[in-house]
């Protein structure tokens, strides 16, 4: 994965750029899986909360 500034990707994701949102989720995927502890429902809930958090964050 090519490195991109996560802050800039957050701004783009908040404006509706789906590729920027996917980049952020891929960037955080290992941590999300660690926190979900193998539970697929928990994984999906964490992903939803990350997306909502990005949409509501004030950059």
């Amino acid at each position: 994965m090519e490195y991109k500034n996560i802050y800039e990707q957050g701004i783009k994701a908040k404006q509706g750029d789906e590729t920027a949102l996917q980049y952020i989720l891929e960037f955080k995927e290992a941590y999300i899986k660690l926190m979900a502890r193998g539970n697929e429902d928990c994984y999906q809930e964490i992903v939803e909360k990350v997306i909502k958090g990005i949409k509501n964050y004030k950059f």
Side-chain angles (χ1 to χ4, degrees):
M1 177 172 19
E2 179 183 331
Y3 175 76
K4 298 177 184 174
N5 188 328
I6 197 77
Y7 179 78
E8 291 174 5
Q9 295 301 310
I11 292 171
K12 289 179 183 178
K14 185 172 181 172
Q15 294 172 349
D17 186 355
E18 290 295 321
T19 57
L21 185 59
Q22 287 177 340
Y23 176 81
I24 294 171
L25 291 175
E26 288 176 10
F27 186 78
K28 296 291 186 182
E29 184 176 14
Y31 185 70
I32 293 171
K33 284 183 179 180
L34 177 69
M35 292 296 111
R37 298 187 179 125
N39 185 339
E40 185 64 31
D41 292 333
C42 186
Y43 177 83
Q44 291 298 325
E45 187 174 335
I46 293 170
V47 168
E48 288 177 16
K49 290 187 184 270
V50 168
I51 293 171
K52 285 181 184 178
I54 291 169
K55 298 289 182 179
N56 292 326
Y57 191 77
K58 295 184 181 181
F59 289 94

